Amino acid sequence: MASYQRPQITPADWAVKGELFLNCSCEVFCPCVVSLGAHPPTEGHCHAWMGIAIDEGHFEGESLAGLNVGLLVDIPGRMGEGNWKVAAYVDDNASDKAYDGLLQIFSGQAGGTTGLFTMLVSEIIGAERTQVLIERDGKRRVIKIGRKIQGEIEMIEGAREDHPVMITNSKYWMGPDIIAATGLKSRVRDYGRVWDFGGKSAEICPIDWSGSK
């Protein structure tokens, strides 16, 4: 996009349940989770991809169930200070109404849980409908968006094999329970960004978001 007009919140009837997972440029577990975006990322900036698998959901009566979304996120400093640059990749199985609804949700325009994005995102650098493949298998999560984003992360094992390392009962925007993970093979090649997050911080979070209409 050549220019970006910050959207006004227009509350909509929407809900999304599923899972969000990401890999970012932090060397150790992302400090944004416990500081609620107030502490600087470990590298001073945050480069990240996010994958969202929607198990249940709707937007103004249109089903979002079974759809996947990928995000490229470029944050110059503290998460809470904004100036995010974001690109969105929406499942090519999405109907026109679902595609439009998901863009409204992830730009913050639809209000509710993601409404804060209207304040944090300063530029939408791209949005497209494309194949977004997500695999969730045990402790591993994989996202593939052509050659643009190819990410694989794995939960960090805890003292008990059946319970990975995690932050619980947080006030973080994604959700209260964040599972700590590590990037395995993880690359971004799009919009002039060339990133490699192998060995870097990763997170997995069950999500239960909704609008405020």
Side-chain angles (χ1 to χ4, degrees), residues 21 28-29 33 50-51 64 67 78 95 152 172 194 203 211:
F21 60 98
V28 294
F29 185 69
V33 174
M50 299 182 182
L64 303 177
L67 298 178
R78 292 179 177 87
S95 67
E152 182 177 355
Y172 197 50
V194 180
E203 303 163 22

Side-chain angles (χ1 to χ4, degrees), residues 171-185:
K171 294 182 179 179
Y172 197 50
W173 69 270
M174 290 194 312
D177 301 319
I178 313 292
I179 298 170
T182 301
L184 300 178
K185 293 174 276 187

